[in-house]
Amino acid sequence: MLKEFEIEPLLKDKAPHQTKAVVAMSGGVDSSVAAVLLHHLGYRVIGVTLQLYGSNANARKGACCAGQDIYDAKRVAEGAGFSHYILNYEEIFKKEVIEDFADTYMRGETPIPCIKCNQTVKFRDLLQVTKNLGADVLVTGHYVRRLEHNGEVKLCRSIDKSKDQSYFLFATTKDQLRLLRFPLGGFYKCDIRKLAKYFGLQISEKPDSQDICFVSKSYSETIAKLVPQSVQKGKIVDTNGKVLGEHNGIVNFTVGQRKGLGIAHNEPLYVIRISTENNEVVVGPISALMQKKILLKELNWLEQPKEGMEVTVKLRSSHAGSLAAIYPTEEKGKACVILNDEYFGISPGQACVVYKNEQVIGGGWIYK
């Protein structure tokens, strides 16, 4: 069975028994299989699970990193026979991910906390733990490929396109990528479940994590608890400023939304933008949501694109991708993306991830 799951050596100049690998274990099938597979291949595996919100008893069932997940990760490590540690990162997670999530909504933007979590707690902090433990690499169960040739490291899309997670890892830096390893990127999810059964893992049929881990019932309820002023009533206006109705808090609306506006009109209306200064939700026809020009900030490049370079961009995780050209702007650390064709509902706060064929060359956060 294991012959079907050959992977590239984690280090080319070290044998498995000489290689110490920290594996980030969320308690799900993917990271569990990654850890057990490496252990069976002879690597010196250390499992690490982060406790990010253990005191939140209302976390949604099926979300990642809940209390049950910590137990599942510990059970997998004990069953396989390798070391496992639980690290309490609740305060850091609250500050850098949960509060950022609420602040982004309050700016009238649509956040992606999973990217922020990877960017801060999971990679920045876990990589420091990896170094502190004297380990050689940090391994995760992400479906993405890390390709290395002649000392050059590239981040590429997973073989299993239905599970590809490269969009969520665009903020990974070159230095981080040198220590990171993603052994599952060359496999399909169905095969990973087969491998979980082969290893006798009780979680082999455990459902994938869904939605945002710290959201209890709904985004709006979670944010209302964090930022009570987010549910202040305000006006719903058209693009000319005409008042069409009243909203019960800007936190209940996102750009591109059509349903649940609570107003009657002779044509379908969509949320065009959210004006936090005036506490207004601006609505209009679908044509007002079609755009070709996007401005990006907080750029991260694994490979610096040339001016006018033709690329493919993903504007949300479910987006198949659009052809575009990318240009620098006069402002340092920002860029302009011009799409070949108009795209519906581009939302500030989302990530624009830039690809050259299968390779992730970087990206940035949409701000306009």
Side-chain angles (χ1 to χ4, degrees):
M1 178 72 176
L2 288 182
K3 290 183 179 180
E4 301 173 29
F5 291 89
E6 290 186 4
I7 63 171
E8 289 287 325
L10 297 186
L11 291 175
K12 294 182 179 179
D13 57 351
K14 272 191 178 182
H17 71 276
Q18 298 173 314
T19 306
K20 186 186 289 188
V22 169
V23 182
M25 298 180 67
S26 67
V29 176
D30 300 322
S31 60
S32 296
V33 167
V36 177
L37 174 61
L38 293 177
H39 177 68
H40 275 259
L41 293 175
Y43 288 95
R44 297 162 60 195
V45 172
I46 302 171
V48 172
T49 300
L50 302 179
Q51 180 176 314
L52 301 179
Y53 56 97
S55 59
N56 181 3
N58 296 317
R60 177 180 290 154
K61 185 179 181 181
C64 102
C65 305
Q68 179 63 41
D69 294 328
I70 294 174
Y71 171 76
D72 288 340
K74 184 175 180 63
R75 185 174 56 178
V76 166
E78 288 177 347
F82 56 81
S83 301
H84 178 258
Y85 300 97
I86 300 168
L87 305 181
N88 190 324
Y89 275 45
E90 288 190 48
E91 285 301 314
I92 297 174
F93 184 73
K94 181 176 183 292
K95 179 181 178 181
E96 304 229 26
V97 181
I98 298 178
E99 291 180 2
D100 178 81
F101 173 80
D103 290 344
T104 304
Y105 257 113
M106 288 304 296
R107 293 197 301 269
E109 301 176 352
T110 306
I112 314 177
C114 294
I115 294 180
K116 290 290 185 180
C117 185
N118 287 331
Q119 189 176 14
T120 57
V121 179
K122 287 187 178 174
F123 283 175
R124 182 198 65 198
D125 296 340
L126 261 184
L127 278 166
Q128 188 58 52
V129 170
T130 301
K131 294 174 183 177
N132 293 345
L133 290 173
D136 299 290
V137 293
L138 171 62
V139 178
T140 79
H142 285 102
Y143 285 86
V144 65
R145 288 179 296 154
R146 175 192 183 278
L147 304 181
E148 186 171 355
H149 183 67
N150 292 334
E152 183 180 356
V153 183
K154 296 180 180 180
L155 184 67
C156 297
R157 297 178 69 193
S158 165
I159 293 294
D160 189 342
K161 297 300 183 286
S162 67
K163 291 294 179 182
D164 175 60
Q165 294 171 298
S166 58
Y167 179 84
F168 297 101
L169 300 182
F170 89 89
T172 306
T173 67
K174 289 182 179 179
D175 286 341
Q176 290 172 343
L177 199 55
R178 289 189 182 96
L179 284 175
L180 284 163
R181 299 294 186 274
F182 311 103
L184 304 191
F187 304 107
Y188 289 86
K189 180 60 180 262
C190 59
D191 293 323
I192 296 305
R193 287 200 182 276
K194 290 178 185 177
L195 194 54
K197 290 179 181 178
Y198 171 79
F199 287 135
L201 303 186
Q202 295 181 37
I203 58 168
S204 61
E205 295 298 330
K206 186 175 182 177
D208 291 341
S209 301
Q210 299 294 328
D211 223 314
I212 298 171
C213 62
F214 57 84
V215 172
S216 52
K217 294 181 180 179
S218 68
Y219 293 3
S220 56
E221 285 188 26
T222 299
I223 298 168
K225 290 180 181 178
L226 293 166
V227 191
Q229 62 268 35
S230 66
V231 291
Q232 291 180 350
K233 292 184 177 181
K235 297 174 183 178
I236 299 177
V237 301
D238 66 15
T239 52
N240 295 316
K242 180 181 177 182
V243 178
L244 301 180
E246 185 181 68
H247 67 75
N248 58 350
I250 59 173
V251 70
N252 295 295
F253 300 86
T254 57
V255 172
Q257 179 178 332
R258 177 184 173 187
K259 296 182 179 179
L261 301 183
I263 53 177
H265 203 265
N266 56 7
E267 66 173 329
L269 294 176
Y270 299 78
V271 176
I272 304 302
R273 67 179 180 276
I274 296 170
S275 174
T276 55
E277 299 86 357
N278 303 319
N279 192 30
E280 290 180 343
V281 175
V282 182
V283 298
I286 191 171
S287 58
L289 279 171
M290 304 302 291
Q291 301 173 54
K292 291 184 72 172
K293 183 178 179 180
I294 310 164
L295 297 180
L296 307 181
K297 64 179 181 178
E298 297 174 34
L299 304 173
N300 178 62
W301 296 120
L302 293 170
E303 180 181 310
Q304 184 72 39
K306 296 178 182 178
E307 182 173 353
M309 180 177 174
E310 292 186 354
V311 294
T312 299
V313 297
K314 287 185 68 171
L315 304 174
R316 58 186 69 228
S317 60
S318 58
H319 181 202
S322 295
L323 295 176
I326 190 163
Y327 300 89
T329 65
E330 292 182 358
E331 293 184 81
K332 188 177 180 180
K334 297 183 179 180
C336 175
V337 172
I338 306 296
L339 304 176
N340 287 16
D341 300 300
E342 292 182 326
Y343 186 77
F344 168 87
I346 299 170
S347 178
Q350 294 282 292
C352 173
V353 181
V354 184
Y355 294 80
K356 184 174 73 174
N357 300 318
E358 292 288 289
Q359 180 189 354
V360 179
I361 64 170
W365 296 97
I366 301 169
Y367 74 94
K368 192 174 181 181

